[in-house]
Amino acid sequence: MNTEFKRGIRETLPITIGIIPFALILGAQAAQKGMTAWETTLMMGINFAGGSEFAAVGAWTSPIPILLIWSLTLMINSRHILMGAAFTPYIRHLPKRQLLPTLFLMTDETWAMSIAEIKKREQAGLPPFNLPYYWGISANLWITWVSCGFLGSQFGYLLGNDIEKFGFNMAFPAVFLVLVRGMWRGAKAARPWLVSLIVAAAVYWLLPQGAWYVMAGAFSGLTAAYFWDTET
């Protein structure tokens, strides 16, 4: 097995531990909504974006509100458009048989870890994008997410719906703090992050229903980064 692939698996283990309880809970909630184990597994394997999956399961009723679920998924996953755009300069050289799986497996965690790896390799004078490392990260997260979702649909009812009582609600914030720390380049470079945070929080407060704050935060951060970059 490729050394970089194994390194990707090893370095993503803390994140893997953090997503296990959420996958179990999602599987349990899907089962309570009437979804079969295979339907749950198929959803988690094809969508592979936790936030939109929780939203879809939350909106799942009979008859199924297809348009609502589609709209929620589109809004919450819209950030992947910007993430993919940031990725484009580093992966455009890949053949389609590698490019399409790479984009399919892109999540917040794989994107952040890979961008941090790209910056390190650029400083070392190496080719920026490390494909085996990326697939090590992605394979570990995808297999863990899907398999634990399946287990959750079978046995997750034992955990109940309130994951906060186990302290699991701190898992994702802790993971993202670690990812942000690895991408930190100083206060000046972090100004777009602050803009994105403020706008997202404001939109969430004004429009608590739906996922408009995700799109607003993403585009405001991107716009701020563009204008500040043109000033330098």
Side-chain angles (χ1 to χ4, degrees):
M1 186 182 295
N2 186 284
T3 302
E4 290 299 293
F5 182 85
K6 290 190 289 187
R7 184 169 70 88
I9 294 176
R10 184 174 65 254
E11 292 188 1
T12 198
L13 285 177
I15 298 176
T16 303
I17 295 171
I19 71 171
I20 287 175
F22 288 91
L24 293 172
I25 292 297
L26 179 59
Q29 290 180 346
Q32 291 171 0
K33 289 284 187 170
M35 297 176 65
T36 68
W38 294 112
E39 288 172 339
T40 302
T41 303
L42 187 64
M43 176 191 71
M44 296 178 70
I46 293 178
N47 189 15
F48 193 38
S52 60
E53 290 173 46
F54 273 104
V57 170
W60 194 277
T61 59
S62 182
I64 302 172
I66 296 177
L67 181 59
L68 173 62
I69 291 175
W70 181 86
S71 300
L72 285 173
T73 302
L74 178 63
M75 283 193 294
I76 296 174
N77 289 350
S78 62
R79 68 191 187 281
H80 290 173
I81 298 174
L82 302 177
M83 290 158 56
F87 240 1
T88 298
Y90 306 109
I91 62 175
R92 64 175 56 184
H93 65 284
L94 296 177
K96 285 188 177 180
R97 69 178 185 277
Q98 294 179 338
L99 178 63
L100 296 180
T102 297
L103 292 173
F104 171 75
L105 292 170
M106 184 182 66
T107 63
D108 300 288
E109 296 85 358
T110 57
W111 181 85
M113 291 185 68
S114 295
I115 289 293
E117 174 73 4
I118 285 170
K119 300 305 179 185
K120 292 178 182 177
R121 291 175 66 88
E122 285 181 331
Q123 292 176 357
L126 298 172
F129 189 63
N130 189 343
L131 186 61
Y133 176 80
Y134 178 88
W135 279 357
I137 297 170
S138 303
N140 192 15
L141 292 177
W142 188 87
I143 292 172
T144 301
W145 182 252
V146 175
S147 60
C148 287
F150 176 81
L151 291 175
S153 68
Q154 299 294 303
F155 309 107
Y157 64 90
L158 298 173
L159 293 174
N161 289 323
D162 184 13
I163 64 174
E164 292 187 6
K165 63 184 178 182
F166 299 106
F168 292 154
N169 56 313
M170 281 301 298
F172 273 4
V175 165
F176 280 102
L177 284 174
V178 172
L179 294 177
V180 168
R181 176 64 184 87
M183 299 175 66
W184 182 258
R185 295 294 180 271
K188 185 176 180 180
R191 290 180 298 176
W193 300 0
L194 180 60
V195 171
S196 180
L197 173 63
I198 293 173
V199 172
V203 173
Y204 180 80
W205 182 69
L206 294 170
L207 301 172
Q209 301 299 320
W212 298 107
Y213 65 94
V214 176
M215 189 178 298
F219 280 104
S220 62
L222 183 65
T223 303
Y226 171 77
F227 282 107
W228 267 314
D229 184 64
T230 57
E231 291 177 2
T232 59

